[in-house]
Amino acid sequence: MLNNSVQHQILEAAKELFFAKGYFNATSKEIADYAKVPRTSINYYFPSVKELYTGIKEYALQDLLEKVIKYFYQRSY
């Protein structure tokens, strides 16, 4: 899903700030500062807050799926 590390940094920062401050209270400036990326990068990869939130959910599900696959792969040998 991720094209590069900037997206990863943005998603990780947004995830942390949404959890800590709430979806409606975390600003794009705070997310950019936390991710150490220009604020324009957030708008480039995620044009709306809804798309950013959806990206976080997809990122989390992909991470979970990879862990489940790894778990079952290790147990099959």
Side-chain angles (χ1 to χ4, degrees), residues 10-33:
I10 293 168
L11 290 172
E12 283 293 326
K15 179 181 73 172
E16 293 294 324
L17 289 171
F18 284 169
F19 181 76
K21 298 185 80 173
Y23 175 79
F24 294 106
N25 296 319
T27 67
S28 60
K29 181 181 181 335
E30 291 172 322
I31 294 168
D33 290 347

